[in-house]
Amino acid sequence: GAGVSQSPSNKVTEKGKDVELRCDPISGHTALYWYRQSLGQGLEFLIYFQGNSAPDKSGLPSDRFSAERTGGSVSTLTIQRTQQEDSAVYLCASSPISNEQYFGPGTRLTVT
Amino acid sequence: AQSVTQLDSQVPVFEEAPVELRCNYSSSVSVYLFWYVQYPNQGLQLLLKYLSGSTLVKGINGFEAEFNKSQTSFHLRKPSVHISDTAEYFCAVSGSQGNLIFGKGTKLSVKP
């Protein structure tokens, strides 16, 4: 079946603009995770959704970052007033159970 | 707090030679451990996982890893590598919400 998909694959934006990154998880997977991969920080956990429960936002680096998951499926990660340090690859993963995650190809964000 | 240390940032090796990629973790609770592989410009793919049971875990592409609780290690091994194994390898431990806590990664370079 189809894997995790993310769009866009690449996004270039100007500093100060808002961006939205989309993740389509594998159908039926109840858990969804966002991670960020950057040269300086490696792979960092951002946020976690499990079913209809309130998300775990403990990894979000600032209040400019937010995410939502509509209908327990598609998720959107929003970064407001982007900064150059936000440049990274944003990875989404979904999981049928909490200990095996399937990753999407990522969105490469470049803030100029 | 949980953490993962990958002791080697880069490992060069000749084709058909054996390889070991080292991983140590820190956790005060029972752990789930994972190895992921990332090929250039691609997302993360699960190689293998340890949840419980046998401490020797076999994964895809001929890789295996051994969980050693006393040494808090989960080293990845392959007896004979191929050029196609050239990639970055990430060791991870599962956090309290099922989120993954990653090491900094090890770049495996297989030379002919």
Side-chain angles (χ1 to χ4, degrees):
Chain A
V4 178
S5 61
Q6 292 185 246
S7 61
S9 55
N10 282 281
K11 176 73 176 177
V12 180
T13 189
E14 293 179 352
K15 178 181 172 181
K17 301 281 191 182
D18 298 351
V19 294
E20 286 189 351
L21 312 179
R22 177 188 169 104
C23 172
D24 280 274
I26 295 172
S27 178
H29 283 193
T30 57
L32 187 148
Y33 302 81
W34 284 98
Y35 296 86
R36 177 170 70 174
Q37 185 175 24
S38 58
L39 281 175
Q41 300 299 322
L43 278 155
E44 304 172 276
F45 162 70
L46 296 177
I47 188 168
Y48 158 61
F49 296 88
Q50 174 60 55
N52 295 319
S53 302
D56 174 5
K57 305 179 182 179
S58 59
L60 294 178
S62 78
D63 58 9
R64 296 186 294 105
F65 287 71
S66 62
E68 62 177 18
R69 188 179 185 193
T70 54
S73 181
V74 171
S75 177
T76 302
L77 177 69
T78 301
I79 308 174
Q80 296 178 308
R81 306 181 302 281
T82 52
Q83 303 295 312
Q84 288 187 329
E85 62 262 29
D86 299 335
S87 295
V89 176
Y90 289 82
L91 293 167
C92 174
S94 69
S95 175
I97 51 177
S98 63
N99 54 37
E100 183 164 344
Q101 298 178 27
Y102 298 82
F103 283 80
T107 294
R108 182 175 297 277
L109 175 66
T110 303
V111 181
T112 61
Chain B
Q2 294 165 303
S3 65
V4 175
T5 301
Q6 290 183 246
L7 297 165
D8 305 299
S9 60
Q10 297 188 53
V11 172
V13 64
F14 287 107
E15 193 174 19
E16 298 183 5
V19 71
E20 178 180 83
L21 305 184
R22 296 180 292 169
C23 172
N24 286 86
Y25 68 92
S26 172
S27 177
S28 58
V29 297
S30 297
V31 295
Y32 298 147
L33 293 158
F34 306 82
W35 275 98
Y36 280 84
V37 60
Q38 187 174 38
Y39 298 102
N41 300 313
Q42 294 188 27
L44 292 163
Q45 180 182 4
L46 180 67
L47 270 181
L48 48 80
K49 61 183 178 183
Y50 171 78
L51 304 180
S52 64
S54 173
T55 57
L56 183 62
V57 180
K58 293 188 183 298
I60 61 171
N61 301 341
F63 284 93
E64 63 180 33
E66 186 157 18
F67 171 60
N68 187 319
K69 187 175 182 179
S70 62
Q71 296 187 5
T72 60
S73 68
F74 190 55
H75 301 333
L76 180 70
R77 303 185 182 99
K78 187 170 181 177
S80 175
V81 294
H82 302 291
I83 298 287
S84 59
D85 293 324
T86 294
E88 191 160 16
Y89 293 79
F90 293 92
C91 181
V93 64
S94 184
S96 58
Q97 296 288 357
N99 57 292
L100 294 172
I101 299 163
F102 288 93
K104 294 292 188 185
T106 298
K107 291 185 179 178
L108 176 64
S109 175
V110 181
K111 304 176 186 302

